[in-house]
């Protein structure tokens, strides 16, 4: 769009004011006019099919693009610029090209094109100067055309201010007319040279307007050019060290002329070869991922040639390329000397370096592009005879461009890649072994022992913590056991007290306890009713068993045994209610305590203690049977209890 817009911007006013030029080249102008109109139309078609970003997402749907374009002000300007105003030629004639003035509405499109070119060009400052000069040229061109039109209106040669009389041959040429007007307009805008004084009011008005515009143009020119020069200076200061500051420092400290000459030559070499020394400061303007990609594309091929970095993972190399620092060494300058402690390794980008003897004359080898040295010194390899010191003298033959990688940067990167660190150290040991510079020591074993001791100490501390927690849990368990044992003893006393009451009172007592009035208060009402029904059947059977074989009343001994069996039944029922709350360990302790108490309470009759033990065993079986019967159903539980009670009563009768 640059060509058609600038064409209309320049030619329309030219053909309007310089009629001779318009008529002499009418065919050319008409052809270029409609070529420009065709380009306007093509631009509209392309704009309809041009995607746009909506919150970072590229929209390509043609329906959305058409809708957005047709509703925009951009479409309105494009439509106005293509209105067929050329039909007015039939009204005003071909000598009035001003009817195409609507084509200038497309000027914002020119600004857009120039802005995009500025962001894409590799020389933005040069482009800014060029754009400024184009604007100034168009402004002077329009002013020159208006000056010629005003001179024609006033009369050529009527005074010294207007254009001279075109009847004179020297001023009749079309080129002379345009160049004279352009020069006169440039004098006014640049305020350079003396212009004739105006004589008429129209001339004064024209000069006042031009001088006001000239002030703005001059300020714009000075400001834009100043910004460009400042930008160029800032760029040089970023790309290269500030030479003026160094020169002032050298003069103030009276540095020798020879050394100052070497420094000047070094600066000159940087500027001539465009070698940038401050890459990190420049790339800091970009985000991290773009900096990484640039560094990888520039330095990764060189870094991957280093022996110890070959076969390393790509992510490690991408971290290392950001740490590379460019350095330039002058001719005859030593990069490193034998015996110096190595703090960095070097990779030769350009230039030649010599490996020289201590005398500085004898050369053992010459290192060229892509060679490297000092890679072993940045790895802390145990057993290295050199002790991370340089083993040779390296001197630059000419100007040498090197990359350096410091030991600190490598250590920081390897801390995030432990596997790569072990791999690099192993490669370094292999190189030192081939060179005969590696000594086997017991430091590695000591390091392993230290690691084992550290692990043991950690395990011991964890074990102490676990023991403390276990002791706390044991104390809590013991406390709960004591509380449970006290509760069981209380229940035993209550059951023993039941033996002195009549049988009917005892039955009512059991029913109340089972329904929540006594011990089993936490049992639900539904379970109490079911157990009450089973208890009634159990009491009926107990009453039948209390009568002897002859149908007589029970003796004292029989009555005592039945009472004892009744006490056992009560204890079993209470234990059934509490079975969901007690632990198996607590039940075993209770059973042991019950057996001891039964032994203490037994009489001197032979076989009494054995009967008590049998009774305890039967009670254990009854408990297990009751737990299983609860899972299967309450009916099976009642049947098993009745059978066990019958067997127990028969055994007691036989003993008696």
């Amino acid at each position: 769009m640059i060509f058609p817009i600038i064409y209309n911007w320049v030619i329309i006013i030219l053909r309007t004011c310089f009629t001779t030029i318009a008529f002499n080249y009418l065919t050319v102008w008409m052809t270029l006019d409609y070529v420009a109109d065709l380009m306007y139309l093509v631009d509209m078609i392309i704009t309809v099919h041009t995607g746009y970003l909506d919150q970072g997402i590229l929209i390509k749907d043609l329906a959305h693009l058409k809708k957005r374009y047709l509703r925009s002000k951009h479409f309105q300007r494009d439509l106005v610029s293509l209105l067929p105003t050329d039909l007015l030629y039939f009204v005003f004639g071909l000598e009035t090209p001003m009817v195409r003035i609507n084509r200038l509405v497309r000027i914002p499109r020119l600004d857009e094109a120039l802005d995009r070119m500025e962001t894409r060009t590799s020389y933005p400052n040069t482009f800014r100067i060029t754009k400024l000069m184009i604007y100034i040229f168009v402004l002077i061109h329009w002013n020159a055309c208006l000056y010629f039109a005003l001179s024609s209106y006033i009369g050529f040669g009527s005074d010294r201010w207007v254009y001279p009389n075109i009847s004179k041959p020297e001023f009749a040429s079309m080129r002379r007319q345009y160049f004279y007007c352009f020069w006169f307009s440039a004098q006014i805008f640049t305020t350079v040279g003396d212009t004739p004084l105006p004589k008429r009011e129209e001339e004064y008005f024209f000069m006042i307007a031009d001088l006001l515009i000239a002030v703005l143009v001059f300020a714009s020119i000075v400001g834009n050019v100043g910004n460009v020069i400042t930008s160029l200076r800032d760029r040089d200061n970023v790309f290269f060290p500030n030479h003026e500051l160094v020169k002032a420092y050298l003069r103030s400290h009276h540095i020798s002329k020879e050394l100052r000459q070497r420094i000047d030559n070094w600066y000159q070499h940087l500027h001539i070869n465009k070698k940038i020394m401050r890459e990190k400061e420049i790339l800091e303007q970009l985000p991290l991922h773009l900096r990484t990609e640039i560094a990888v594309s520039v330095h990764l091929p060189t870094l991957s040639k280093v022996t110890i970095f070959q076969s390393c993972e790509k992510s490690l190399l991408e971290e290392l390329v950001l740490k590379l620092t460019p350095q330039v060494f002058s001719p005859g300058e030593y990069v490193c000397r034998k015996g110096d402690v190595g703090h960095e390794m070097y990779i030769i980008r350009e230039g030649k370096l010599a490996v020289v003897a201590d005398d500085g004359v004898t050369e053992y080898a010459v290192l060229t592009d892509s060679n490297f040295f000092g890679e072993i010194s940045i790895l802390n390899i145990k057993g290295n005879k050199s002790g991370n010191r340089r083993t040779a003298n390296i001197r630059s033959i000419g100007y040498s461009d090197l990359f350096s990688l410091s030991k600190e940067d490598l250590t920081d990167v390897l801390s995030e890649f432990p596997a790569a660190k072990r791999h690099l150290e192993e490669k370094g040991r292999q190189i030192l072994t081939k060179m005969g510079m590696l000594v086997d020591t017991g430091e590695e074993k000591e390091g392993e022992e230290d690691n084992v001791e550290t692990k043991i100490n950690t395990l011991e501390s964890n074990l102490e913590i676990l023991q403390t927690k276990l002791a706390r849990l044991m104390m809590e368990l013991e406390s709960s056991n004591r509380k449970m044992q006290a509760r069981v003893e209380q229940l035993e006393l209550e059951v023993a007290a039941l033996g002195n009451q009549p049988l009917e009172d005892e039955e009512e007592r059991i029913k109340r306890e089972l329904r929540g009035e006594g011990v089993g208060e936490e049992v639900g009402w539904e379970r109490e009713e079911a157990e009450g029904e089973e208890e009634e059947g159990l009491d009926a059977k107990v009453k039948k068993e209390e009568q002897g074989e002859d149908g007589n009343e029970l003796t004292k001994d029989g009555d005592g045994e039945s009472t004892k069996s009744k006490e056992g039944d009560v204890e079993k029922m209470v234990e059934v209610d509490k079975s969901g709350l007690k632990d198996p360990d607590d039940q075993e302790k209770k059973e042991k305590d019950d057996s001891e108490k039964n032994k203490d309470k037994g009489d001197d009759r032979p076989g009494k203690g054995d009967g008590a033990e049998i009774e305890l065993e039967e009670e254990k079986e009854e408990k297990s049977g009751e737990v299983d019967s609860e899972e299967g159903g309450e009916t099976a539980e009642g049947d098993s209890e009745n059978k066990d009670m019958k067997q127990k009563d028969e055994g007691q009768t036989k003993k008696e």
Side-chain angles (χ1 to χ4, degrees):
M1 293 306 298
I2 294 177
F3 165 75
I5 294 176
I6 290 182
Y7 166 77
N8 288 317
W9 205 4
V10 173
I11 300 302
I12 290 176
I13 188 68
L14 177 68
R15 290 166 57 191
T16 302
C17 297
F18 292 89
T19 56
T20 306
I21 297 175
F23 279 106
N24 290 345
Y25 302 97
L26 182 61
T27 305
V28 177
W29 301 136
M30 297 295 289
T31 303
L32 293 177
D33 285 348
Y34 294 113
V35 169
D37 292 347
L38 180 62
M39 295 181 70
Y40 276 17
L41 181 61
V42 172
D43 179 63
M44 292 181 65
I45 297 174
I46 294 175
T47 304
V48 172
H49 293 79
T50 302
Y52 66 95
L53 293 176
D54 184 11
Q55 296 182 353
I57 301 174
L58 182 61
I59 305 300
K60 297 181 179 180
D61 185 57
L62 186 58
H64 287 83
L65 297 178
K66 289 181 179 179
K67 184 178 180 180
R68 179 174 181 269
Y69 177 65
L70 294 176
R71 293 183 177 180
S72 64
K73 294 181 178 180
H74 191 184
F75 171 73
Q76 297 176 3
R77 290 197 304 266
D78 295 347
L79 185 62
V80 170
S81 65
L82 279 178
L83 291 176
T85 56
D86 299 66
L87 298 175
L88 296 176
Y89 280 138
F90 296 104
V91 178
F92 300 103
L94 296 177
E95 66 275 5
T96 57
M98 189 59 69
V99 296
R100 292 176 51 85
I101 194 66
N102 62 318
R103 270 53 174 183
L104 300 182
V105 179
R106 285 286 186 98
I107 289 178
R109 188 70 167 161
L110 175 64
D111 295 336
E112 181 182 358
L114 294 178
D115 290 339
R116 291 192 178 186
M117 290 180 64
E118 182 178 348
T119 57
R120 294 175 182 176
T121 182
S122 301
Y123 305 96
N125 293 318
T126 304
F127 185 83
R128 293 191 193 104
I129 294 294
T130 304
K131 184 172 67 173
L132 178 63
M133 296 304 296
I134 290 173
Y135 288 154
I136 294 174
F137 166 77
V138 172
L139 180 62
I140 295 176
H141 168 78
W142 271 68
N143 193 68
C145 294
L146 294 176
Y147 168 74
F148 187 81
L150 181 61
S151 298
S152 177
Y153 172 77
I154 296 173
F156 296 115
S158 60
D159 56 37
R160 296 182 62 251
W161 187 86
V162 298
Y163 185 79
N165 193 345
I166 58 175
S167 59
K168 296 180 180 180
E170 57 180 334
F171 297 106
S173 172
M174 292 183 296
R175 288 181 297 179
R176 183 63 178 270
Q177 293 175 9
Y178 180 77
F179 289 151
Y180 181 91
C181 295
F182 194 90
W183 170 80
F184 188 85
S185 178
Q187 276 190 324
I188 297 174
F189 281 144
T190 57
T191 64
V192 176
D194 295 331
T195 58
L197 295 176
K199 302 294 183 180
R200 300 171 179 268
E201 290 81 359
E202 296 87 349
E203 297 173 358
Y204 277 108
F205 178 78
F206 186 86
M207 287 294 295
I208 291 172
D210 276 6
L211 290 175
L212 292 176
I213 296 174
V215 173
L216 298 177
V217 170
F218 184 77
S220 177
I221 293 173
V222 172
N224 281 275
V225 174
N227 290 334
V228 170
I229 294 174
T230 303
S231 177
L232 292 172
R233 185 177 300 171
D234 293 340
R235 183 200 64 184
D236 291 339
N237 291 337
V238 173
F239 282 8
F240 312 105
N242 193 339
H243 193 191
E244 298 299 328
L245 291 177
V246 177
K247 283 184 176 180
Y249 177 83
L250 297 178
R251 287 194 300 269
S252 62
H253 289 77
H254 306 288
I255 303 301
S256 63
K257 184 178 180 181
E258 181 181 357
L259 182 56
R260 282 188 292 174
Q261 185 63 39
R262 287 178 57 191
I263 295 173
D264 293 340
N265 293 337
W266 183 77
Y267 272 103
Q268 186 178 6
H269 172 75
L270 294 182
H271 281 275
I272 291 175
N273 296 277
K274 305 299 180 184
K275 293 185 177 180
I276 301 173
M277 300 298 298
R278 305 172 67 179
E279 289 186 355
K280 292 184 178 180
E281 290 82 351
I282 298 171
L283 297 180
E284 281 180 356
Q285 310 298 324
L286 300 174
L288 179 60
H289 65 280
L290 291 179
R291 290 205 307 267
T292 304
E293 290 184 8
I294 293 173
V296 167
S297 62
V298 174
H299 306 319
L300 187 60
T302 304
L303 184 63
S304 59
K305 294 178 182 179
V306 181
T307 304
I308 60 173
F309 296 133
Q310 292 177 353
S311 302
C312 288
E313 53 185 311
K314 188 177 179 180
S315 57
L316 172 63
L317 298 180
E318 289 177 354
E319 292 287 339
L320 289 177
V321 293
L322 295 174
K323 308 294 184 180
L324 295 179
T325 303
Q327 294 186 13
V328 177
F329 291 90
S330 303
E333 185 177 358
Y334 278 89
V335 179
C336 61
R337 294 181 181 272
K338 186 177 181 180
D340 294 343
V341 178
H343 296 287
E344 60 277 314
M345 66 166 294
Y346 295 95
I347 303 172
I348 303 175
R349 185 179 181 183
E350 293 179 0
K352 295 181 179 180
L353 292 93
V355 182
V356 298
D358 295 338
D359 56 6
V361 178
T362 306
E363 293 185 0
Y364 297 120
V366 176
L367 305 177
T368 57
D369 299 353
S370 301
N371 290 131
F372 55 90
F373 56 92
E375 70 276 10
I376 302 300
S377 62
I378 63 175
L379 295 173
N380 293 322
I381 300 176
K382 298 177 181 178
N384 188 358
K385 289 183 179 180
S386 60
N388 291 336
R389 292 182 178 273
R390 306 293 188 187
T391 58
N393 300 311
I394 308 295
R395 186 179 61 190
S396 177
I397 297 176
Y399 282 102
S400 301
D401 189 4
L402 279 67
F403 286 121
S404 66
L405 177 63
S406 66
K407 181 186 296 185
E408 292 78 10
D409 292 337
L410 180 64
T411 303
D412 294 339
V413 174
L414 291 181
S415 62
E416 301 176 0
F417 299 90
K421 181 179 181 181
R422 293 191 295 269
H423 175 69
L424 293 178
E425 290 178 351
E426 183 61 28
K427 277 197 169 185
R429 292 190 189 94
Q430 293 175 2
I431 295 173
L432 290 175
T433 302
K434 292 180 181 179
M435 296 172 59
M437 300 291 292
L438 186 64
V439 179
D440 294 334
T441 60
E443 295 181 358
E444 296 181 2
K445 296 182 179 179
E446 293 178 358
E448 294 178 357
E449 292 177 357
D450 294 339
N451 294 333
V452 173
E453 291 179 358
T454 303
K455 293 180 180 179
I456 292 174
N457 294 331
T458 304
L459 292 175
E460 288 179 352
S461 61
N462 294 336
L463 181 59
E464 291 178 357
I465 295 172
L466 293 176
Q467 288 177 348
T468 303
K469 293 181 179 179
L470 179 60
R472 189 182 298 111
L473 292 174
M474 292 296 292
M475 292 178 64
E476 293 177 357
L477 180 60
E478 185 177 356
S479 176
S480 62
N481 288 338
R482 286 198 299 269
K483 293 179 181 179
M484 190 62 68
Q485 186 175 1
R487 181 61 176 166
V488 170
E489 292 177 356
Q490 182 180 359
L491 292 174
E492 289 177 352
L493 293 176
E494 292 178 358
V495 171
L498 292 175
N500 299 326
Q501 297 179 1
L503 187 59
E504 291 82 7
D505 296 338
E506 185 179 354
E507 291 175 357
E508 295 295 331
R509 175 74 172 175
I510 293 170
K511 291 179 181 179
R512 287 196 304 271
E513 290 179 353
L514 292 175
R515 290 184 179 179
E517 297 176 0
V519 179
E521 292 180 357
E522 58 268 24
V523 181
W525 285 104
E526 294 180 359
R527 184 175 177 184
E528 290 175 357
E529 292 176 0
E531 291 180 354
E533 293 175 359
E534 293 177 2
E535 186 67 25
E536 290 176 0
L538 180 62
D539 292 340
K541 290 183 180 181
V542 171
K543 288 181 181 180
K544 291 180 181 180
E545 294 296 335
E546 286 177 352
Q547 297 177 0
E549 293 178 358
D550 298 336
N552 298 327
E553 293 180 358
L554 294 173
T555 59
K556 278 185 179 181
D557 296 335
D559 191 19
E561 292 296 329
S562 63
T563 305
K564 187 181 295 184
S565 64
K566 189 63 179 180
E567 294 174 359
D569 294 337
V570 172
E571 292 176 0
K572 287 187 287 183
M573 292 176 183
V574 174
E575 289 172 355
V576 170
D577 294 336
K578 292 294 184 175
S579 60
L581 302 174
K582 294 183 180 180
D583 295 333
D585 296 338
D586 297 337
Q587 292 178 1
E588 291 179 1
K589 289 182 179 181
K590 180 178 177 298
E591 291 172 359
K592 291 180 181 180
D593 295 337
D594 292 342
S595 63
E596 292 177 358
K597 289 181 181 179
N598 290 332
K599 289 180 181 181
D600 295 336
K601 293 179 182 179
D603 52 8
D604 298 331
R605 288 176 294 176
K608 191 68 177 179
D610 297 335
E613 292 176 357
I614 293 170
E615 184 179 356
L616 290 173
E617 292 176 357
E618 291 175 353
E619 288 177 359
K620 292 180 180 180
E621 293 175 358
E622 289 171 1
K623 292 175 184 177
S624 62
E626 288 170 358
V627 173
D628 295 335
S629 63
E630 286 178 358
E631 296 176 354
E634 296 179 353
T635 305
E637 180 183 359
D639 295 339
S640 62
E641 288 178 354
N642 293 334
K643 290 179 181 180
D644 293 338
M645 291 179 63
K646 287 181 180 180
Q647 293 176 0
K648 180 180 177 182
D649 293 337
E650 290 176 1
Q652 294 292 337
T653 305
K654 289 179 181 180
K655 288 180 184 180
E656 291 176 358

